[in-house]
Amino acid sequence: MESRVAPGSNPGSDPPTATPLPFRVVPPTVADVPLVVASPHSGHEYPQEFLALSRLDRPALRRSEDFCVDALLTGAPVVGAHMLHATFPRIYCDANRDSDELDPTMFTESPPADLTSITPRVRAGLGVIPRISASGTPIYRTRLPLREATDRIARFWRPYHNALSALIESQIAAHGVCVLIDCHSMPGAGLRAYDMPDFVLGDAWGSSCAPDITEAAEACLRSYGFRTNRNAPYAGGYVTRHYGRPATGRHALQIEISRALYMDENKLTPNAGFGDIRTVMTALLRALADIATNLARPSGIRAC
């Protein structure tokens, strides 16, 4: 059963006091294992006020989504994992960026220093409040008031990360270890410099998780005949680097899935391969659940 109500609310009250959250948590349907599976970029609930601010139409905005990645992960609960996915779109607020990655050129007022970290992603227009779409097109008609950014961070970014942190810490408390799998999709074309991989495994160049985890993911995917790369061109974003602390039992691996495997990138619809890739992802998560369980055993905990 999915959790969609605010902490402390009473679902049985009349009138209801529950308020929708910007994420969904799906608990395991079997005995839980120390595995959390997250999809921060598959949300597609577009606020009307955002659509009014944008110069792009909904189909153009949706091309920035990790389309249907959450639907590819429906096997997570059946292998004992908790699953978390954002409902808000990344083009509106990006949960895989730090909350201070704000582009000051976007706003009518200058952000305070503690909200301004000019990273390469910010310079590229892809901060926590993106300036451009996935195709490189500017999103907004005009500059935004700064309160637009601070409000989105407070209402969307922070609750998502509070939920993710809570899931990780609950697994640490129960098992002494947690493996976070952060799932994304990547364009099926345009990666020729990296020999067009089917999957990219990002462990921040070996620093965000134990080697066994990346090796198990790689071995599983290659057993199905898929081509994999490690860390190129995606080594892991904010989520992987922030939560991956192997020395403390907190491991994080980013997985990028080629969209060509499961969707028509022009029509934004699933293709004939969708069911097969969902089956592969369930098998992959099962293999990772086994690794997470082994790491939780006293003799199995190891750092990178």
Short mmCIF file of all heavy atoms in Angstrom, two decimals, residues 54-98:
data_model
loop_
_atom_site.label_atom_id
_atom_site.label_comp_id
_atom_site.label_asym_id
_atom_site.label_seq_id
_atom_site.Cartn_x
_atom_site.Cartn_y
_atom_site.Cartn_z
N SER A 54 5.72 28.95 -17.74
CA SER A 54 6.62 28.36 -18.72
C SER A 54 6.28 28.80 -20.14
O SER A 54 5.12 28.95 -20.51
CB SER A 54 6.54 26.84 -18.63
OG SER A 54 7.30 26.25 -19.66
N ARG A 55 7.32 28.96 -20.94
CA ARG A 55 7.15 29.23 -22.36
C ARG A 55 6.99 27.94 -23.15
O ARG A 55 6.73 27.98 -24.35
CB ARG A 55 8.33 30.04 -22.88
CG ARG A 55 9.66 29.35 -22.71
CD ARG A 55 10.82 30.27 -23.00
NE ARG A 55 10.89 30.65 -24.40
CZ ARG A 55 11.78 31.51 -24.90
NH1 ARG A 55 12.63 32.10 -24.08
NH2 ARG A 55 11.80 31.79 -26.17
N LEU A 56 7.16 26.79 -22.50
CA LEU A 56 7.08 25.50 -23.16
C LEU A 56 5.74 24.83 -22.86
O LEU A 56 5.17 25.02 -21.79
CB LEU A 56 8.20 24.58 -22.66
CG LEU A 56 9.63 25.12 -22.79
CD1 LEU A 56 10.63 24.13 -22.20
CD2 LEU A 56 9.96 25.40 -24.25
N ASP A 57 5.26 24.03 -23.80
CA ASP A 57 4.03 23.30 -23.56
C ASP A 57 4.33 22.01 -22.78
O ASP A 57 5.49 21.65 -22.57
CB ASP A 57 3.28 23.00 -24.86
CG ASP A 57 4.09 22.16 -25.85
OD1 ASP A 57 5.08 21.51 -25.44
OD2 ASP A 57 3.74 22.16 -27.05
N ARG A 58 3.28 21.34 -22.33
CA ARG A 58 3.47 20.17 -21.50
C ARG A 58 4.30 19.07 -22.17
O ARG A 58 5.20 18.51 -21.54
CB ARG A 58 2.12 19.61 -21.05
CG ARG A 58 2.22 18.50 -20.01
CD ARG A 58 0.86 17.88 -19.74
NE ARG A 58 -0.02 18.80 -19.07
CZ ARG A 58 -0.22 18.84 -17.76
NH1 ARG A 58 0.43 17.98 -16.98
NH2 ARG A 58 -1.06 19.69 -17.22
N PRO A 59 4.05 18.72 -23.46
CA PRO A 59 4.89 17.70 -24.08
C PRO A 59 6.38 18.06 -24.08
O PRO A 59 7.24 17.20 -23.85
CB PRO A 59 4.33 17.59 -25.51
CG PRO A 59 2.91 18.02 -25.37
CD PRO A 59 2.93 19.11 -24.34
N ALA A 60 6.69 19.33 -24.33
CA ALA A 60 8.10 19.74 -24.33
C ALA A 60 8.68 19.65 -22.92
O ALA A 60 9.83 19.24 -22.74
CB ALA A 60 8.22 21.17 -24.85
N LEU A 61 7.90 20.00 -21.91
CA LEU A 61 8.36 19.89 -20.53
C LEU A 61 8.59 18.43 -20.13
O LEU A 61 9.57 18.10 -19.46
CB LEU A 61 7.33 20.52 -19.58
CG LEU A 61 7.16 22.04 -19.67
CD1 LEU A 61 5.93 22.48 -18.89
CD2 LEU A 61 8.40 22.76 -19.16
N ARG A 62 7.72 17.55 -20.62
CA ARG A 62 7.80 16.14 -20.21
C ARG A 62 9.05 15.45 -20.77
O ARG A 62 9.43 14.39 -20.26
CB ARG A 62 6.54 15.39 -20.65
CG ARG A 62 5.27 15.84 -19.94
CD ARG A 62 4.24 14.75 -19.92
NE ARG A 62 4.69 13.62 -19.10
CZ ARG A 62 4.06 12.46 -19.05
NH1 ARG A 62 2.97 12.25 -19.78
NH2 ARG A 62 4.51 11.49 -18.28
N ARG A 63 9.68 16.02 -21.76
CA ARG A 63 10.89 15.39 -22.30
C ARG A 63 12.06 15.46 -21.31
O ARG A 63 13.08 14.80 -21.52
CB ARG A 63 11.26 16.03 -23.63
CG ARG A 63 10.21 15.78 -24.70
CD ARG A 63 10.61 16.23 -26.09
NE ARG A 63 9.48 16.08 -26.98
CZ ARG A 63 9.07 14.93 -27.53
NH1 ARG A 63 9.73 13.82 -27.25
NH2 ARG A 63 8.03 14.88 -28.33
N SER A 64 11.90 16.23 -20.25
CA SER A 64 12.93 16.26 -19.21
C SER A 64 12.71 15.20 -18.13
O SER A 64 13.56 15.02 -17.26
CB SER A 64 12.96 17.65 -18.56
OG SER A 64 13.43 18.63 -19.47
N GLU A 65 11.57 14.51 -18.18
CA GLU A 65 11.29 13.47 -17.18
C GLU A 65 12.15 12.23 -17.40
O GLU A 65 12.56 11.93 -18.52
CB GLU A 65 9.83 13.01 -17.29
CG GLU A 65 8.80 14.02 -16.88
CD GLU A 65 7.38 13.50 -17.15
OE1 GLU A 65 7.22 12.25 -17.31
OE2 GLU A 65 6.46 14.32 -17.23
N ASP A 66 12.36 11.50 -16.32
CA ASP A 66 12.80 10.10 -16.42
C ASP A 66 11.53 9.29 -16.61
O ASP A 66 10.99 8.69 -15.68
CB ASP A 66 13.55 9.66 -15.17
CG ASP A 66 14.98 10.19 -15.13
OD1 ASP A 66 15.46 10.68 -16.15
OD2 ASP A 66 15.60 10.11 -14.05
N PHE A 67 11.06 9.29 -17.84
CA PHE A 67 9.72 8.79 -18.17
C PHE A 67 9.52 7.36 -17.69
O PHE A 67 10.26 6.45 -18.06
CB PHE A 67 9.52 8.88 -19.69
CG PHE A 67 8.20 8.37 -20.18
CD1 PHE A 67 7.07 9.17 -20.11
CD2 PHE A 67 8.09 7.10 -20.70
CE1 PHE A 67 5.86 8.70 -20.56
CE2 PHE A 67 6.88 6.61 -21.15
CZ PHE A 67 5.75 7.42 -21.08
N CYS A 68 8.49 7.17 -16.85
CA CYS A 68 8.04 5.85 -16.41
C CYS A 68 9.10 5.03 -15.65
O CYS A 68 8.92 3.82 -15.49
CB CYS A 68 7.55 5.03 -17.61
SG CYS A 68 5.81 5.32 -17.98
N VAL A 69 10.16 5.65 -15.17
CA VAL A 69 11.14 4.88 -14.40
C VAL A 69 10.49 4.29 -13.15
O VAL A 69 10.78 3.15 -12.76
CB VAL A 69 12.37 5.74 -14.06
CG1 VAL A 69 13.20 5.11 -12.96
CG2 VAL A 69 13.22 5.94 -15.30
N ASP A 70 9.59 5.04 -12.52
CA ASP A 70 8.90 4.49 -11.35
C ASP A 70 8.13 3.22 -11.71
O ASP A 70 8.09 2.26 -10.92
CB ASP A 70 7.99 5.54 -10.72
CG ASP A 70 6.97 6.12 -11.69
OD1 ASP A 70 7.24 6.14 -12.91
OD2 ASP A 70 5.90 6.57 -11.23
N ALA A 71 7.54 3.18 -12.91
CA ALA A 71 6.79 2.00 -13.33
C ALA A 71 7.71 0.81 -13.63
O ALA A 71 7.27 -0.34 -13.56
CB ALA A 71 5.94 2.32 -14.56
N LEU A 72 8.97 1.09 -13.96
CA LEU A 72 9.92 0.00 -14.18
C LEU A 72 10.37 -0.64 -12.87
O LEU A 72 10.97 -1.72 -12.87
CB LEU A 72 11.16 0.52 -14.92
CG LEU A 72 10.96 0.96 -16.37
CD1 LEU A 72 12.25 1.57 -16.90
CD2 LEU A 72 10.52 -0.20 -17.26
N LEU A 73 10.09 0.02 -11.75
CA LEU A 73 10.60 -0.41 -10.45
C LEU A 73 9.54 -1.05 -9.57
O LEU A 73 9.73 -1.19 -8.36
CB LEU A 73 11.20 0.80 -9.72
CG LEU A 73 12.31 1.53 -10.47
CD1 LEU A 73 12.71 2.80 -9.71
CD2 LEU A 73 13.52 0.63 -10.68
N THR A 74 8.42 -1.47 -10.16
CA THR A 74 7.33 -2.01 -9.35
C THR A 74 7.70 -3.33 -8.67
O THR A 74 7.00 -3.78 -7.77
CB THR A 74 6.06 -2.21 -10.20
OG1 THR A 74 6.39 -3.00 -11.35
CG2 THR A 74 5.50 -0.86 -10.66
N GLY A 75 8.81 -3.94 -9.08
CA GLY A 75 9.27 -5.15 -8.42
C GLY A 75 9.98 -4.88 -7.11
O GLY A 75 10.27 -5.83 -6.36
N ALA A 76 10.29 -3.62 -6.81
CA ALA A 76 11.03 -3.32 -5.58
C ALA A 76 10.35 -3.87 -4.33
O ALA A 76 11.00 -4.54 -3.50
CB ALA A 76 11.27 -1.82 -5.46
N PRO A 77 9.06 -3.65 -4.12
CA PRO A 77 8.44 -4.16 -2.89
C PRO A 77 8.44 -5.68 -2.79
O PRO A 77 8.52 -6.23 -1.69
CB PRO A 77 7.00 -3.61 -2.98
CG PRO A 77 7.10 -2.42 -3.87
CD PRO A 77 8.14 -2.78 -4.88
N VAL A 78 8.40 -6.39 -3.93
CA VAL A 78 8.32 -7.85 -3.87
C VAL A 78 9.68 -8.49 -3.58
O VAL A 78 9.75 -9.68 -3.29
CB VAL A 78 7.72 -8.45 -5.16
CG1 VAL A 78 6.35 -7.88 -5.43
CG2 VAL A 78 8.63 -8.25 -6.36
N VAL A 79 10.77 -7.70 -3.65
CA VAL A 79 12.07 -8.23 -3.24
C VAL A 79 12.44 -7.75 -1.84
O VAL A 79 13.55 -8.00 -1.37
CB VAL A 79 13.18 -7.86 -4.26
CG1 VAL A 79 12.79 -8.31 -5.66
CG2 VAL A 79 13.52 -6.38 -4.23
N GLY A 80 11.52 -7.04 -1.18
CA GLY A 80 11.75 -6.62 0.20
C GLY A 80 12.24 -5.20 0.36
O GLY A 80 12.64 -4.79 1.45
N ALA A 81 12.22 -4.41 -0.72
CA ALA A 81 12.73 -3.03 -0.67
C ALA A 81 11.60 -2.03 -0.45
O ALA A 81 10.46 -2.25 -0.87
CB ALA A 81 13.46 -2.70 -1.96
N HIS A 82 11.94 -0.93 0.19
CA HIS A 82 11.07 0.25 0.19
C HIS A 82 11.33 1.03 -1.09
O HIS A 82 12.48 1.18 -1.50
CB HIS A 82 11.35 1.15 1.39
CG HIS A 82 10.79 0.65 2.68
ND1 HIS A 82 11.40 -0.33 3.43
CD2 HIS A 82 9.65 0.99 3.34
CE1 HIS A 82 10.68 -0.56 4.52
NE2 HIS A 82 9.62 0.22 4.49
N MET A 83 10.26 1.52 -1.70
CA MET A 83 10.40 2.33 -2.90
C MET A 83 9.87 3.73 -2.65
O MET A 83 8.81 3.91 -2.07
CB MET A 83 9.64 1.70 -4.06
CG MET A 83 9.71 2.50 -5.35
SD MET A 83 8.73 1.75 -6.66
CE MET A 83 8.68 3.10 -7.83
N LEU A 84 10.63 4.72 -3.10
CA LEU A 84 10.26 6.13 -2.98
C LEU A 84 10.33 6.76 -4.35
O LEU A 84 11.32 6.59 -5.07
CB LEU A 84 11.24 6.85 -2.03
CG LEU A 84 11.18 8.38 -1.99
CD1 LEU A 84 9.91 8.85 -1.31
CD2 LEU A 84 12.41 8.94 -1.29
N HIS A 85 9.27 7.47 -4.74
CA HIS A 85 9.39 8.23 -5.99
C HIS A 85 8.69 9.57 -5.86
O HIS A 85 7.65 9.70 -5.20
CB HIS A 85 8.87 7.43 -7.20
CG HIS A 85 7.43 7.03 -7.14
ND1 HIS A 85 6.43 7.74 -7.78
CD2 HIS A 85 6.83 5.98 -6.55
CE1 HIS A 85 5.27 7.14 -7.58
NE2 HIS A 85 5.48 6.08 -6.84
N ALA A 86 9.31 10.57 -6.47
CA ALA A 86 8.75 11.92 -6.47
C ALA A 86 7.54 11.96 -7.39
O ALA A 86 7.49 11.28 -8.41
CB ALA A 86 9.80 12.92 -6.91
N THR A 87 6.56 12.78 -7.04
CA THR A 87 5.42 13.02 -7.94
C THR A 87 5.58 14.33 -8.70
O THR A 87 4.92 14.53 -9.72
CB THR A 87 4.11 13.04 -7.15
OG1 THR A 87 4.17 14.06 -6.15
CG2 THR A 87 3.85 11.70 -6.47
N PHE A 88 6.44 15.20 -8.23
CA PHE A 88 6.65 16.49 -8.90
C PHE A 88 7.72 16.33 -9.99
O PHE A 88 8.64 15.53 -9.85
CB PHE A 88 7.07 17.57 -7.91
CG PHE A 88 8.30 17.25 -7.11
CD1 PHE A 88 9.56 17.68 -7.52
CD2 PHE A 88 8.21 16.52 -5.93
CE1 PHE A 88 10.70 17.38 -6.78
CE2 PHE A 88 9.34 16.22 -5.17
CZ PHE A 88 10.58 16.65 -5.60
N PRO A 89 7.64 17.08 -11.06
CA PRO A 89 8.60 16.93 -12.16
C PRO A 89 9.94 17.59 -11.86
O PRO A 89 10.00 18.64 -11.21
CB PRO A 89 7.90 17.60 -13.35
CG PRO A 89 6.95 18.56 -12.74
CD PRO A 89 6.54 18.00 -11.42
N ARG A 90 10.99 16.99 -12.37
CA ARG A 90 12.34 17.52 -12.14
C ARG A 90 12.52 18.90 -12.75
O ARG A 90 13.34 19.69 -12.27
CB ARG A 90 13.38 16.56 -12.71
CG ARG A 90 13.36 16.49 -14.23
CD ARG A 90 14.41 15.60 -14.83
NE ARG A 90 15.76 16.00 -14.49
CZ ARG A 90 16.85 15.42 -14.98
NH1 ARG A 90 16.73 14.42 -15.85
NH2 ARG A 90 18.04 15.83 -14.63
N ILE A 91 11.79 19.20 -13.82
CA ILE A 91 11.95 20.49 -14.48
C ILE A 91 11.36 21.61 -13.63
O ILE A 91 11.66 22.78 -13.82
CB ILE A 91 11.32 20.45 -15.90
CG1 ILE A 91 11.93 21.54 -16.78
CG2 ILE A 91 9.80 20.55 -15.83
CD1 ILE A 91 11.60 21.39 -18.27
N TYR A 92 10.54 21.24 -12.67
CA TYR A 92 9.94 22.18 -11.72
C TYR A 92 10.83 22.34 -10.49
O TYR A 92 11.07 23.46 -10.03
CB TYR A 92 8.56 21.65 -11.33
CG TYR A 92 7.81 22.48 -10.32
CD1 TYR A 92 7.33 23.75 -10.64
CD2 TYR A 92 7.53 21.96 -9.05
CE1 TYR A 92 6.61 24.48 -9.71
CE2 TYR A 92 6.81 22.69 -8.13
CZ TYR A 92 6.36 23.95 -8.47
OH TYR A 92 5.64 24.68 -7.54
N CYS A 93 11.34 21.24 -9.97
CA CYS A 93 12.25 21.25 -8.83
C CYS A 93 13.02 19.95 -8.87
O CYS A 93 12.42 18.87 -8.91
CB CYS A 93 11.47 21.38 -7.53
SG CYS A 93 12.50 21.48 -6.04
N ASP A 94 14.34 20.02 -8.89
CA ASP A 94 15.16 18.85 -9.11
C ASP A 94 15.67 18.28 -7.78
O ASP A 94 16.54 18.88 -7.13
CB ASP A 94 16.34 19.18 -10.03
CG ASP A 94 17.05 17.95 -10.56
OD1 ASP A 94 16.99 16.90 -9.90
OD2 ASP A 94 17.68 18.05 -11.63
N ALA A 95 15.16 17.11 -7.41
CA ALA A 95 15.55 16.49 -6.15
C ALA A 95 16.94 15.89 -6.19
O ALA A 95 17.46 15.48 -5.15
CB ALA A 95 14.53 15.42 -5.76
N ASN A 96 17.56 15.84 -7.36
CA ASN A 96 18.93 15.32 -7.45
C ASN A 96 19.96 16.45 -7.54
O ASN A 96 21.05 16.28 -8.09
CB ASN A 96 19.07 14.39 -8.66
CG ASN A 96 20.27 13.46 -8.54
OD1 ASN A 96 20.70 13.12 -7.44
ND2 ASN A 96 20.81 13.04 -9.67
N ARG A 97 19.61 17.58 -6.99
CA ARG A 97 20.51 18.71 -6.82
C ARG A 97 20.49 19.13 -5.36
O ARG A 97 19.52 18.88 -4.65
CB ARG A 97 20.09 19.90 -7.70
CG ARG A 97 20.05 19.60 -9.18
CD ARG A 97 21.44 19.43 -9.75
NE ARG A 97 21.40 19.20 -11.19
CZ ARG A 97 21.46 18.01 -11.77
NH1 ARG A 97 21.55 16.91 -11.02
NH2 ARG A 97 21.42 17.88 -13.08
N ASP A 98 21.54 19.80 -4.93
CA ASP A 98 21.53 20.35 -3.58
C ASP A 98 20.58 21.55 -3.56
O ASP A 98 20.37 22.22 -4.59
CB ASP A 98 22.95 20.77 -3.18
CG ASP A 98 23.12 20.86 -1.67
OD1 ASP A 98 22.10 20.94 -0.96
OD2 ASP A 98 24.27 20.84 -1.21
#
